Amino acid sequence: MTADTHSVLVVTKDSNFSSLAGAFLVPPLFEARVIGDFNEARRLVAERVYNIVLVDYSEGEGVDFATDISESLSTILLLTPQTLYEEISYRVEGYGIITVASPVDQFVLYSSLKTAIAVQYKVQMLQSQTTKLKNKMEEIRVVNRAKMLLMQTLKMTEQEAHRYVEKEAMDRGLKKTAVAEEVIRTYG
């Protein structure tokens, strides 16, 4: 899958909706898989991350499926009957699920998918930022532990310990975490 290809899992028991979705979920923009079995869909979602999961209501089974997989990184679009739209939308919006009233025409469905793509880009950006922040926090934690060991063992001040870790890293061409881990192995 390239950066411009979006993986889509369509879960529906409705052959008309399968045909509608299949009409425009075509390569190279989309890599689509259409499936009618919700248990099989659960297995597929557990095995890999789809950018977008498009779920048909299917007499309520789709709502349960969508909420079950809502912790995945997929953007979930749930097609619900117009008569139940408000009730279901209210129930699932806290899970981050986007609801679309059905029956839906091709233009509305395509627009909803474009919205889901935009949301997916935002999710990926936020996930990247979260990973960077977690890594930075881990680095700070390791360096602080090393500084504390230097202060306790070698009676350095906090500034001296900080300077030691930074200077060693610079002199040896290492990351501060590598130097801090050496300090922890030596004095910890």
Side-chain angles (χ1 to χ4, degrees):
M1 183 178 89
T2 65
D4 295 325
T5 301
H6 306 283
S7 60
V8 181
L9 177 64
V10 179
V11 188
T12 183
K13 294 179 180 183
D14 181 352
S15 59
N16 290 333
F17 181 68
S18 293
S19 299
L20 176 65
F24 61 86
L25 292 175
V26 294
L29 185 58
F30 297 106
E31 170 201 321
R33 175 131 188 217
V34 180
I35 191 162
D37 182 343
F38 284 93
N39 289 324
E40 178 68 10
R42 280 180 179 82
R43 187 186 64 75
L44 291 173
V45 170
E47 289 176 357
R48 72 169 280 197
V49 175
Y50 289 88
N51 298 122
I52 301 165
V53 179
L54 184 56
V55 183
D56 191 17
Y57 177 74
S58 298
E59 297 179 8
E61 195 173 358
V63 177
D64 294 336
F65 170 73
T67 56
D68 288 349
I69 67 162
S70 65
E71 289 187 17
S72 72
L73 294 176
S74 303
T75 300
I76 303 167
L77 291 174
L78 175 63
L79 274 69
T80 62
Q82 288 179 345
T83 57
L84 299 173
Y85 179 81
E86 284 299 321
E87 174 192 337
I88 292 171
S89 179
Y90 180 76
R91 202 167 103 206
V92 301
E93 65 190 13
Y95 292 95
I97 298 168
I98 301 168
T99 51
V100 178
S102 65
V104 62
D105 65 33
Q106 195 168 3
F107 176 77
V108 171
L109 187 56
Y110 186 74
S111 278
S112 298
L113 281 169
K114 294 300 277 180
T115 301
I117 290 168
V119 168
Q120 191 57 220
Y121 280 128
K122 191 68 161 179
V123 166
Q124 289 171 355
M125 183 187 70
L126 291 172
Q127 182 185 17
S128 173
Q129 289 174 345
T130 300
T131 301
K132 287 177 188 175
L133 286 172
K134 283 181 180 178
N135 291 340
K136 186 66 177 172
M137 287 172 53
E138 179 62 16
E139 176 186 321
I140 290 168
R141 187 188 68 74
V142 170
V143 169
N144 283 343
R145 182 158 182 239
K147 289 188 324 187
M148 184 175 32
L149 286 170
L150 289 170
M151 290 164 54
Q152 290 172 345
T153 314
L154 302 179
K155 307 299 182 215
M156 290 183 179
T157 65
E158 195 274 335
Q159 291 86 1
E160 290 169 335
H162 183 78
R163 172 84 174 118
Y164 174 84
V165 171
E166 281 190 336
K167 186 169 179 353
E168 282 293 309
M170 209 172 5
D171 290 349
R172 295 170 53 197
L174 298 172
K175 290 185 174 190
K176 289 190 287 186
T177 51
V179 172
E181 287 167 351
E182 284 180 13
V183 168
I184 292 168
R185 280 193 300 275
T186 302
Y187 298 109

